[in-house]
Amino acid sequence: MSNTVSSRSTDNADLDRLEGEARLAEARAKLLTAEHVTQDGNKKTWWKDGQLNLLIIGGIVTIMGNLGVAAYNGYETRSEDRLKAVNDLDLQRETAKSDLLLSAMRTNDSKAAQQNNLFFIDSGLIADPGDKLKKAVTKYFPVLPAPSGAVPSFLGPSDYAQAFWQVSLDASQMSMIDNEANKITAGRQTFETVAKATHAPWYVVGVVWMLETGGDFSTHLHNGDPLTAQTVHVPAGRPLQGQPPFTWEASAIDAIKLYKLDNADTLDLGDMLDRLEGYNGYGYRRHQVSSPFLWAFTSGYAGGSYVADGVFASDVKWARPGAVALLRRLQDRRAINLKGTN
């Protein structure tokens, strides 16, 4: 816009200058006429004088020529402005296209990235002559890392592993996170007894103990019901073997096997987190909410919770650390090594 205004201002200045020259030439012609009339005894014979006639005609031709040049230059300037506007529009279109592609790939899930890109292409939002982009997207599954502190779409265990390191812990809740992490560390010897029987990492047993029982060795690891009887709440009637009162270790071994956390010491981080989420249930995915059992007290959880079996409330937020916050804190303290074996 500013270039167009500037060019038009220049054209107006040129026309004003040429108009001034025309008036000056006209004044000179009148002056010559007056002089000629005086010399001829006040006879109006200036138009018969060939030399004066040629001078006046030459001046007029010069002025007309200058006006023509100015008009042509104005046309050229407007043409250049139009061309620049077209080029700017093309650049904006290419920029928008690139932004759409980058936005579509900004996820750690390759299938989601491919689906996003194909939507933009098939809908015509991104021009794709010859289907080159479509073929490349289908072949290479391009993705970009999700922004730090953000949890990507939970579409597979591979997302969990990266999200585990990306999320930030809630600094305002660090005291509670540390308190529960201390209890897990203090109970390590008891957890290792269960770990040896189930081949589950001791810290996985410890995290489940904290999440399901609140750190109480007098309750079932399944759901926090008292060890004085089989479980009453889901899963009810556990353990299947033995008679109450149950030892904590016997109940814990049953729970770890029931929820398929046995042999978890052979799992990578993503699969282990997926199994941990399954311990509490995958129902949060139906509501497109990050499971607080995993992500509470991290930047990966914004709210939403089951307030009873099968009853979900979007306006309720967990008030205790999830598994990821506890494991990350244990990792920070070097109590465990989730990049190796501990």
Side-chain angles (χ1 to χ4, degrees):
M1 181 67 72
S2 60
N3 289 335
T4 303
V5 172
S6 176
S7 298
R8 287 176 180 172
S9 297
T10 302
D11 291 345
N12 291 337
D14 290 341
L15 291 173
D16 290 343
R17 179 177 54 78
L18 292 172
E19 184 178 352
E21 290 178 0
R23 290 176 178 175
L24 181 59
E26 182 180 359
R28 287 175 178 171
K30 289 181 178 179
L31 179 60
L32 288 173
T33 300
E35 291 175 353
H36 190 71
V37 169
T38 301
Q39 291 172 4
D40 260 9
N42 295 326
K43 293 182 179 179
K44 297 181 180 180
T45 58
W46 63 270
W47 53 273
K48 295 180 180 178
D49 191 324
Q51 184 177 1
L52 180 59
N53 206 18
L54 290 174
L55 179 62
I56 293 173
I57 292 173
I60 294 172
V61 170
T62 300
I63 293 171
M64 295 300 294
N66 289 338
L67 288 172
V69 170
Y72 176 77
N73 288 338
Y75 172 78
E76 285 293 303
T77 300
R78 288 191 293 273
S79 296
E80 291 175 0
D81 288 343
R82 284 194 294 270
L83 180 60
K84 183 178 183 303
V86 170
N87 290 337
D88 287 345
L89 182 59
D90 288 342
L91 179 60
Q92 290 176 7
R93 285 172 177 167
E94 288 301 313
T95 301
K97 175 180 176 180
S98 299
D99 288 344
L100 280 176
L101 288 171
L102 292 175
S103 297
M105 292 186 292
R106 196 166 286 120
T107 170
N108 294 305
D109 180 59
S110 58
K111 288 187 177 180
Q114 184 190 58
Q115 185 176 15
N116 293 341
N117 274 311
L118 291 178
F119 167 77
F120 289 135
I121 293 170
D122 290 344
S123 65
L125 292 172
I126 295 178
D128 186 24
D131 288 338
K132 291 183 179 180
L133 276 175
K134 192 170 186 177
K135 291 176 182 177
V137 166
T138 304
K139 181 177 180 180
Y140 297 108
F141 291 84
V143 296
L144 293 174
S148 179
V151 178
S153 300
F154 295 153
L155 298 176
S158 60
D159 297 326
Y160 289 172
Q162 190 153 357
F164 179 88
W165 301 109
Q166 287 178 332
V167 295
S168 57
L169 305 188
D170 187 343
S172 67
Q173 302 293 347
M174 197 60 70
S175 177
M176 186 182 295
I177 296 172
D178 281 339
N179 182 52
E180 297 198 0
N182 288 339
K183 291 181 180 179
I184 293 172
T185 303
R188 177 170 181 169
Q189 186 173 355
T190 303
F191 303 141
E192 284 184 338
T193 300
V194 177
K196 289 177 182 178
T198 60
H199 299 285
W202 71 267
Y203 47 83
V204 168
V205 179
V207 165
V208 172
W209 168 72
M210 183 56 64
L211 290 170
E212 289 291 343
T213 73
D216 187 351
F217 282 113
S218 68
T219 60
H220 287 287
L221 190 65
H222 307 74
N223 55 19
D225 285 347
L227 289 172
T228 53
Q230 288 181 314
T231 57
V232 176
H233 298 91
V234 178
R238 308 297 298 200
L240 296 177
Q241 308 265 329
Q243 296 294 323
F246 298 95
T247 65
W248 184 85
E249 289 83 356
S251 174
I253 290 170
D254 181 74
I256 292 296
K257 290 181 177 180
L258 175 65
Y259 287 105
K260 302 185 185 307
L261 282 172
D262 53 325
N263 299 313
D265 55 5
T266 63
L267 300 176
D268 61 26
L269 179 58
D271 288 331
M272 184 182 73
L273 293 176
D274 183 57
R275 297 275 185 93
L276 272 172
E277 184 184 4
Y279 198 104
N280 183 247
Y282 296 107
Y284 288 97
R285 297 184 185 183
R286 292 196 298 271
H287 300 279
Q288 297 184 332
V289 170
S290 302
S291 169
F293 193 84
L294 283 183
W295 306 104
F297 284 20
T298 77
S299 58
Y301 173 68
S305 176
Y306 280 93
V307 294
D309 290 337
V311 181
F312 179 79
S314 60
D315 58 344
V316 175
K317 192 171 184 177
W318 259 39
R320 297 196 33 221
V324 170
L326 295 172
L327 291 171
R328 276 278 301 274
R329 200 62 181 137
L330 292 172
Q331 174 77 22
D332 292 343
R333 296 175 170 188
R334 299 186 180 181
I336 62 175
N337 180 12
L338 292 174
K339 295 181 178 179
T341 303
N342 192 4

